[in-house]
Structure formats: C-alpha cells, structure tokens
C-alpha cells in the first residue's frame, strides 16, 4: 500500500531502500481518492524503531493510508530526541476534534505496574473513550492489548512465572473469520512480555472472541464487538533483530534473561536470528485494514 507520511520522517529513507512504496505528501495530494486516516499512539520508548516496524507492516494493501503519530502529553519519552517528537508527533489535544478510520495503540514497557499506576493512564483511557465515537476500529498491541482488555471489558492481567521471550507457535480458530483469513493452521509470533490477560475472563465476556492462541502463550488474537476493537497480545511487527537487542540489553543490565525461544539457530546468541513470522504479520495488518477498517468505514469521516 502507498503509505503517506511526512516527507522528512527519518525512517522514510529506510522504507524506500527496502522497496516499500512510500508516498510523499506532494504525490498524495495529486490523487483524487479518499485515503484511510490511521492514527498511531506510540507508547514505545524507542519511537523511531516502532515507527519503522509498524510502517513496514502497514505496507501491504493497495489502499492509500495517511499516518498520524501521536504521543502522550502527560509523559514525555526520555529515549527519543525532543526535536523528533515536536517535528513528527502531535498530541491528543490537537486531534481530539478529528475522526479517524483506524487507531493503533502500541505496547509499552510498564506491564509490571498496575494499570492505574502508569503515569499516563488517565490520558490513555480518555483516548480509548474518544475512540468509541471517533474511530472505526482500534488495534491494540501487547501491553496496549492488556490495557484495552482491562479498561474496555474488565479483563484482569496476571504475572507470568517467567517472561515470554522468543518466537512461539500459535493456532487459528474459525478460519472464515476475516482477521485470520489466509493464515496457516499454525504460525509463529514474537512475544516479549512478563504478564498475560485472563483467558477465563475473555471467554466469559460475550463481546469478545478468541480467534487465535498458543499452547504456551495463551490467547493471541481477540476480537471485541465484531472488530470495533482488536487485541494482539504479541509483537508481530517486530524486526528480525528486535528480540536480539532486548536480550543483549537485559544481559548488560545483569538480569540474566533466558535465551529467546525458537529464535537463534541452535539457541546460540552469537548466530543471526531466523525470521519466521513476517508473512503472517503482514497478513494480519492487511486483514485488519481491509476487513475491519476499509470495508466498514464511512466515506465521509
């Protein structure tokens, strides 16, 4: 898909080098079509890494998409240059009067905290409330999925005995469900989290449907209210080296992390990781944009 982003966004050059179709503002203005408007609430500390990962994943449909990045106003990230935030991000206050076709809420490294203890929790819940009337479909990723399940449907989270880190096998149910259309019977997904969401509470809620899960990792894809809200408990957008970077970071901090599962050849961190999830990741984002955004969003926002 032609992704429409700011001409000066640093990751634009990387995307073009990877032969991903990126449309700059000038060319987009010359096309007489109504593009999808997708806003991304980027809660990850390494903003530019997440920008690149998500834009890669959103690049596989013929639909033109305008991307707007927003950040929290109540908390300022310490891992990205202020100039980058001021140039390429806006705040919720600046877009609250607008409507969007899609919203993506990313993960965040705060999962060991109670939701209400997170510094920007009130702002996040305000955005989720706003999205009910102003967004066609919201995609929640990892901690964003746990937060959305908790706030929207009362699904509690719990601490895992050990961090899920690695590439885990998952399975699909209900093959005709559009979100998993084109998926194989089993597929691989990057996971990187210390907590999980209660499967019992998800199953007990008639507004939620589990369409994919893993034997080890539990529910992976959950649909709320027929696609108004979609929850992805892993990180399908991760790059090949992301888990490697996280593992080595934790090693340097003396956390003694386990070697990520099913990631390095022969579980040897000195070898280059094996990429085994990109096709299904791309299919997931394609299905969300096509079936839960493009097919149901009004032409006039």
């Amino acid at each position: 898909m032609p992704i429409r982003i700011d001409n000066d966004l640093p990751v634009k050059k990387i995307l073009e080098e990877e032969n991903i179709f990126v449309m700059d503002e000038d060319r987009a203005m010359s096309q007489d079509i109504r593009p999808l408007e997708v806003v991304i609430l980027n809660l990850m500390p390494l903003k530019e890494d997440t920008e690149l990962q998500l834009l890669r994943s959103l690049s596989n449909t013929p639909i033109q998409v305008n991307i707007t990045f927003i950040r929290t106003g109540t908390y300022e990230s310490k891992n990205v240059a202020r100039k980058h935030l001021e140039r390429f991000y806006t705040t919720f206050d600046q877009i609250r009067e607008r409507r969007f076709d899609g919203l993506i809420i990313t993960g965040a490294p705060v999962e060991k905290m109670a939701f209400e203890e997170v510094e920007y929790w009130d702002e996040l819940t305000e955005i989720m409330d706003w999205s009910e009337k102003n967004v066609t479909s919201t995609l929640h990723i990892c901690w964003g999925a746990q937060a959305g399940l908790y706030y929207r449907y009362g699904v509690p989270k719990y601490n895992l005995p050990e961090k899920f880190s690695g590439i885990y096998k998952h399975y699909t149910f209900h093959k005709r469900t559009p979100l998993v259309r084109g998926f194989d019977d089993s597929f691989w997904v990057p996971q990187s989290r210390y907590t999980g969401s209660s499967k019992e509470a998800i199953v007990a809620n008639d507004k939620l449907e589990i369409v994919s899960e893993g034997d080890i990792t539990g529910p992976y894809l959950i649909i709320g209210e027929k696609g108004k809200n979609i929850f992805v408990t892993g990180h399908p957008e991760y790059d090949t080296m992301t888990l490697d970077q996280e593992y080595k970071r934790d090693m340097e901090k003396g956390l003694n992390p386990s070697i990520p599962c099913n990631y390095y050849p022969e579980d040897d961190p000195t070898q280059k990781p094996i990429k085994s999830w990109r096709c299904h990741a791309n299919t997931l984002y394609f299905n969300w944009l096509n079936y839960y955004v493009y097919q149901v969003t009004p032409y006039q926002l």
Side-chain angles (χ1 to χ4, degrees):
M1 128 185 48
I3 302 173
R4 180 182 172 187
I5 58 177
D6 192 293
N7 293 350
D8 299 322
L9 190 70
V11 300
K12 180 174 181 284
K13 182 178 180 181
I14 300 174
L15 292 167
E16 289 174 334
E17 289 173 350
E18 294 178 2
N19 202 31
I20 290 174
F21 187 8
V22 180
M23 181 176 291
D24 62 28
E25 294 171 305
D26 298 331
R27 180 171 179 182
M29 290 294 290
S30 69
Q31 293 195 338
D32 188 21
I33 60 174
R34 208 283 268 173
L36 293 180
E37 298 287 344
V38 173
V39 58
I40 299 175
L41 174 58
N42 189 354
L43 301 173
M44 293 293 277
L46 301 178
K47 299 276 190 263
E48 293 186 61
D49 288 355
T50 304
E51 292 163 14
L52 181 59
Q53 292 166 10
L54 287 174
L55 292 176
R56 279 196 187 112
S57 296
L58 292 170
S59 64
N60 289 279
T61 80
I63 307 164
Q64 183 179 316
V65 179
N66 288 348
I67 301 293
T68 299
F69 287 104
I70 62 172
R71 57 182 171 86
T72 54
T74 48
Y75 175 80
E76 185 169 319
S77 177
K78 301 177 178 64
N79 297 284
V80 63
R82 184 180 183 87
K83 185 179 295 186
H84 184 85
L85 292 176
E86 292 175 348
R87 175 66 179 82
F88 300 109
Y89 282 72
T90 186
T91 63
F92 174 57
D93 284 341
Q94 294 170 303
I95 58 105
R96 67 167 64 242
E97 300 302 322
R98 295 177 57 188
R99 293 194 174 188
F100 289 85
D101 302 294
L103 164 65
I104 296 176
I105 300 175
T106 73
V110 294
E111 56 188 305
K112 291 185 177 181
M113 302 171 63
F115 291 116
E116 292 81 2
E117 293 177 358
V118 175
E119 192 168 348
Y120 48 79
W121 178 249
D122 289 343
E123 183 178 4
L124 175 59
T125 58
E126 185 181 7
I127 292 171
M128 287 194 279
D129 287 340
W130 165 85
S131 72
E132 290 300 312
K133 292 184 177 179
N134 293 282
V135 176
T136 300
S137 179
T138 300
L139 186 72
H140 312 66
I141 302 172
C142 202
W143 180 83
Q146 295 180 4
L149 286 167
Y150 173 74
Y151 182 69
R152 297 183 191 276
Y153 304 104
V155 176
K157 69 174 180 177
Y158 61 91
N159 294 325
L160 298 171
E162 184 178 6
K163 180 183 180 180
F164 287 153
S165 176
I167 314 301
Y168 296 83
K169 184 178 286 189
H170 294 71
Y171 305 89
T172 54
F173 308 110
H174 316 299
K175 298 295 176 54
R176 294 186 178 180
T177 302
L179 189 63
V180 293
R181 190 165 291 170
F183 276 44
D184 293 326
D185 291 342
S186 65
F187 57 97
W188 298 93
V189 178
Q191 295 275 359
S192 178
R193 52 187 170 93
Y194 291 93
T195 56
S197 295
S198 168
K199 179 177 179 179
E200 292 76 15
I202 295 171
V203 171
N205 193 314
D206 60 9
K207 293 182 179 180
L208 298 173
E209 178 187 17
I210 300 171
V211 295
S212 173
E213 69 177 3
D215 291 336
I216 297 173
T217 56
Y220 168 56
L221 298 177
I222 304 106
I223 297 176
E225 298 168 77
K226 300 182 179 180
K228 175 67 176 175
N229 295 297
I230 292 176
F231 306 92
V232 182
T233 64
H235 279 290
E237 78 285 353
Y238 265 13
D239 291 338
T240 305
M241 302 304 293
T242 306
L243 287 172
D244 176 73
Q245 294 164 0
E246 292 182 356
Y247 172 70
K248 291 174 179 175
R249 176 201 63 199
D250 290 348
M251 287 288 289
E252 291 175 358
K253 290 182 177 180
L255 299 178
N256 194 30
S258 298
I259 296 174
C261 297
N262 306 311
Y263 184 54
Y264 298 110
E266 301 176 355
D267 287 335
D268 179 0
T270 66
Q271 297 193 50
K272 184 178 179 180
I274 299 171
K275 180 171 66 178
S276 57
W277 62 91
R278 181 60 58 79
C279 289
H280 282 86
N282 289 343
T283 301
L284 171 64
Y285 284 95
F286 169 86
N287 287 347
W288 172 65
L289 273 179
N290 185 24
Y291 298 116
Y292 298 91
V293 181
Y294 178 71
Q295 300 290 345
V296 296
T297 200
Y299 185 82
Q300 294 291 343
L301 279 175

PDB file of all heavy atoms in Angstrom, residues 7 68 72 138 146:
ATOM      1  N   ASN A   7       7.297  13.991   4.580  1.00  0.00           N
ATOM      2  CA  ASN A   7       8.446  13.901   3.674  1.00  0.00           C
ATOM      3  C   ASN A   7       9.771  13.773   4.410  1.00  0.00           C
ATOM      4  O   ASN A   7      10.717  13.172   3.907  1.00  0.00           O
ATOM      5  CB  ASN A   7       8.497  15.142   2.777  1.00  0.00           C
ATOM      6  CG  ASN A   7       7.335  15.215   1.813  1.00  0.00           C
ATOM      7  OD1 ASN A   7       6.577  14.263   1.675  1.00  0.00           O
ATOM      8  ND2 ASN A   7       7.191  16.348   1.150  1.00  0.00           N
ATOM      9  N   THR A  68      -0.815   9.415  11.052  1.00  0.00           N
ATOM     10  CA  THR A  68      -0.600  10.472  12.033  1.00  0.00           C
ATOM     11  C   THR A  68      -0.057   9.834  13.306  1.00  0.00           C
ATOM     12  O   THR A  68      -0.659   8.883  13.829  1.00  0.00           O
ATOM     13  CB  THR A  68      -1.910  11.212  12.366  1.00  0.00           C
ATOM     14  OG1 THR A  68      -2.437  11.812  11.183  1.00  0.00           O
ATOM     15  CG2 THR A  68      -1.681  12.287  13.424  1.00  0.00           C
ATOM     16  N   THR A  72       1.873  10.852  24.171  1.00  0.00           N
ATOM     17  CA  THR A  72       1.186  11.298  25.372  1.00  0.00           C
ATOM     18  C   THR A  72       1.631  12.707  25.736  1.00  0.00           C
ATOM     19  O   THR A  72       2.804  13.065  25.593  1.00  0.00           O
ATOM     20  CB  THR A  72       1.485  10.360  26.553  1.00  0.00           C
ATOM     21  OG1 THR A  72       2.908  10.246  26.712  1.00  0.00           O
ATOM     22  CG2 THR A  72       0.896   8.981  26.317  1.00  0.00           C
ATOM     23  N   THR A 138     -10.046  -0.052  16.362  1.00  0.00           N
ATOM     24  CA  THR A 138      -8.806   0.171  17.104  1.00  0.00           C
ATOM     25  C   THR A 138      -8.060  -1.143  17.261  1.00  0.00           C
ATOM     26  O   THR A 138      -8.634  -2.157  17.680  1.00  0.00           O
ATOM     27  CB  THR A 138      -9.084   0.775  18.493  1.00  0.00           C
ATOM     28  OG1 THR A 138      -9.748   2.025  18.339  1.00  0.00           O
ATOM     29  CG2 THR A 138      -7.797   0.989  19.269  1.00  0.00           C
ATOM     30  N   GLN A 146      -3.431  -5.570  26.621  1.00  0.00           N
ATOM     31  CA  GLN A 146      -3.797  -5.836  28.009  1.00  0.00           C
ATOM     32  C   GLN A 146      -4.544  -4.648  28.608  1.00  0.00           C
ATOM     33  O   GLN A 146      -5.548  -4.821  29.325  1.00  0.00           O
ATOM     34  CB  GLN A 146      -2.543  -6.138  28.820  1.00  0.00           C
ATOM     35  CG  GLN A 146      -1.837  -7.419  28.390  1.00  0.00           C
ATOM     36  CD  GLN A 146      -0.586  -7.697  29.204  1.00  0.00           C
ATOM     37  OE1 GLN A 146      -0.256  -6.979  30.144  1.00  0.00           O
ATOM     38  NE2 GLN A 146       0.133  -8.749  28.832  1.00  0.00           N
TER      39      GLN A 146
END
